[in-house]
Amino acid sequence: MDHLLQENQPPHHPLKRLIPEPPVLGSTMSLAHTAAEYMLSDALLPDRRGSRLKGLRLELPLDKMVKFVTVGFPLLLMSLAFAQEFSSGSPISCFSPSNFSVRQAAYVDSSCWDSLAHHKQDEAGQHKVKSLWPHKALPYSLLALAVAMYLPALLWQYAAVPALSSDLLFIISELDKSYNRSIRLVQHMLKIRQRSSDPHVFWDELEKARKERYFEFPLLERYLACKQRSHWLVATYLLRNALLLLFTSATYLYLGHFHLDVFFQEEFSCSIKTGLLHDETHVPELITCRLTSLSVFQIVSVSSVAIYTVLVPVIIYNLTRLCRWDKRLLSIYEMLPAFDLLSRKMLGCPINDLNVILLFLRANISELISFSWLSVLCVLKDTTTQKHNIDTVVDFMTLLAGLEPSKPKHLTQHTYDEHP
């Protein structure tokens, strides 16, 4: 019977005795730690110090659009006015007497364009002269408008951009470095946990470090808090937009006072009793001339009013943005240690340099590599079931690396039993 049982047993493999049973738990833990190290290494941001600041935007998109329109549009209209003058020849056409020679007719056109005055008599019979000089000054007034509208941008370029660029360089660099420091801190915690044979010692040291605030890097937060007491950037920004509104108002006054007075006048009476024709008795005192460039003058006037009317709400909107904080950007970076501007209610009146810097950080969000990572972590943080244990990126990455963000309950209970 025993012989039959031995025959029915499966044969032993000759190499099976040489291969030890794998340590299942130890191998699994090693793979988990390796995966956690890879995950943390991938979460580190690359160092782009050399190429980062070449693409900094030192003008907000709306400000750049306003500058382009307020400066470029008058130059476009000026080119239109010059093109019309060169293509059609003389901007006026005078109806000279039929007995005038070609030389005399050319002189009449030139003389009437130089004087550009409308002679008329009022109801009392008094002779009055009305100047039509806005037609002659049209291209040059557009050039003066373009230069005036460029002055606010020039003020910003030389008064604010040097300080703003240094601030942005430092803040962008520190935000990304703070994120990297948090990731490296979790890597260090993971290595300590692997080397520590007693989990109680590890968690005691970790809780002590948190109480002593070792995980916090307050340089950036204090720098931003100091920017709340600075007002150079915001004063320059307010002055820039105030000058734009001032020059726009001056443009309205100029167009309303000078252009509107001659807007519909296509013909005028010109006195030609001057120069070569002064002593000619057969020459009439006044002749009628027509402004051939009136349509261009009207187009320039109407389009200028329309464009600057559209830009005024944009300029006002730029100013109103200084009256509120960009709390979404701040709330995302609240996940960094020692960045508690919102939770500590450190934000006061928003009209200061910090708010201007936040607007430019939002415009340069592509340079903030840490922003996309922290945005993802914020979404995951809001969906996790352990919200009360996750405050910073250190806590969340600790959880993703396989460590509890706080001391496990069974270890806490064990400590309580040892020290009741």
Side-chain angles (χ1 to χ4, degrees), residues 156-418:
W156 176 260
Q157 182 69 29
Y158 286 98
V161 163
L164 178 64
S165 60
S166 62
D167 287 337
L168 289 177
L169 284 180
F170 173 75
I171 293 171
I172 290 175
S173 176
E174 282 301 311
L175 286 174
D176 289 348
K177 285 179 181 178
S178 297
Y179 171 83
N180 271 353
R181 281 195 293 262
S182 301
I183 301 299
R184 291 193 179 99
L185 181 60
V186 178
Q187 287 179 324
H188 183 65
M189 290 167 55
L190 186 62
K191 291 179 182 178
I192 293 178
R193 181 66 184 87
Q194 289 176 343
R195 297 170 186 169
S196 176
S197 58
D198 186 2
H200 297 278
V201 176
F202 169 75
W203 288 111
D204 290 342
E205 290 295 327
L206 185 60
E207 290 180 359
K208 179 182 177 182
R210 281 177 174 159
K211 290 179 181 178
E212 298 293 335
R213 302 171 70 89
Y214 292 158
F215 294 166
E216 300 187 359
F217 315 101
L219 174 63
L220 179 60
E221 184 185 87
R222 292 178 181 176
Y223 182 78
L224 295 179
C226 289
K227 283 298 173 180
Q228 288 194 83
R229 298 187 291 271
S230 175
H231 298 87
W232 174 253
L233 292 177
V234 71
T236 308
Y237 190 78
L238 289 173
L239 180 59
R240 172 183 181 171
N241 287 276
L243 286 176
L244 285 173
L245 291 176
L246 177 63
F247 293 150
T248 302
S249 301
T251 302
Y252 286 149
L253 292 175
Y254 173 79
L255 293 174
H257 187 267
F258 296 106
H259 281 218
L260 190 60
D261 191 36
V262 297
F263 189 79
F264 299 103
Q265 186 161 356
E266 185 176 8
E267 295 183 351
F268 65 97
S269 299
C270 176
S271 175
I272 59 174
K273 281 284 189 175
T274 57
L276 295 175
L277 305 177
H278 184 269
D279 298 327
E280 298 289 338
T281 56
H282 64 282
V283 174
E285 187 73 23
L286 299 173
I287 65 170
T288 302
C289 296
R290 185 173 64 88
L291 290 165
T292 59
S293 60
L294 181 65
S295 59
V296 174
F297 182 83
Q298 292 174 337
I299 291 174
V300 169
S301 302
V302 173
S303 59
S304 297
V305 172
I307 289 296
Y308 286 107
T309 301
V310 171
L311 287 180
V312 166
V314 179
I315 299 172
I316 295 176
Y317 173 74
N318 285 341
L319 292 174
T320 57
R321 285 192 298 176
L322 296 175
C323 300
R324 62 183 185 276
W325 293 102
D326 187 358
K327 292 188 177 180
R328 183 177 178 274
L329 180 67
L330 290 174
S331 63
I332 288 177
Y333 277 96
E334 285 272 309
M335 289 197 71
L336 290 180
F339 199 89
D340 302 332
L341 293 176
L342 279 179
S343 57
R344 294 185 188 178
K345 297 181 179 179
M346 298 173 64
L347 299 178
C349 176
I351 304 178
N352 51 52
D353 285 359
L354 177 60
N355 200 8
V356 176
I357 291 173
L358 291 179
L359 290 176
F360 280 90
L361 283 177
R362 172 67 67 179
N364 290 278
I365 205 69
S366 59
E367 300 293 329
L368 275 168
I369 315 175
S370 57
F371 180 80
S372 57
W373 281 89
L374 290 175
S375 300
V376 173
L377 293 181
C378 282
V379 173
L380 296 177
K381 170 189 168 184
D382 295 336
T383 57
T384 185
T385 56
Q386 299 179 355
K387 295 180 183 179
H388 58 281
N389 290 329
I390 299 175
D391 294 323
T392 65
V393 65
V394 174
D395 299 329
F396 198 90
M397 298 306 289
T398 300
L399 183 64
L400 291 181
L403 298 176
E404 292 286 340
S406 60
K407 193 171 184 179
K409 293 182 179 179
H410 68 278
L411 294 179
T412 306
Q413 183 65 30
H414 186 269
T415 304
Y416 178 77
D417 293 340
E418 290 181 353

Side-chain angles (χ1 to χ4, degrees), residues 90-96 100 104-119 130 132-133 136 268-274 277 285-291:
S90 177
I92 64 172
S93 176
C94 295
F95 302 99
S96 303
F100 272 30
Q104 287 175 324
Y107 173 78
V108 168
D109 288 349
S110 176
S111 176
C112 289
W113 175 249
D114 290 339
S115 61
L116 204 59
H118 175 51
H119 297 261
K130 177 183 176 182
L132 303 177
W133 67 268
K136 186 186 295 187
F268 65 97
S269 299
C270 176
S271 175
I272 59 174
K273 281 284 189 175
T274 57
L277 305 177
E285 187 73 23
L286 299 173
I287 65 170
T288 302
C289 296
R290 185 173 64 88
L291 290 165

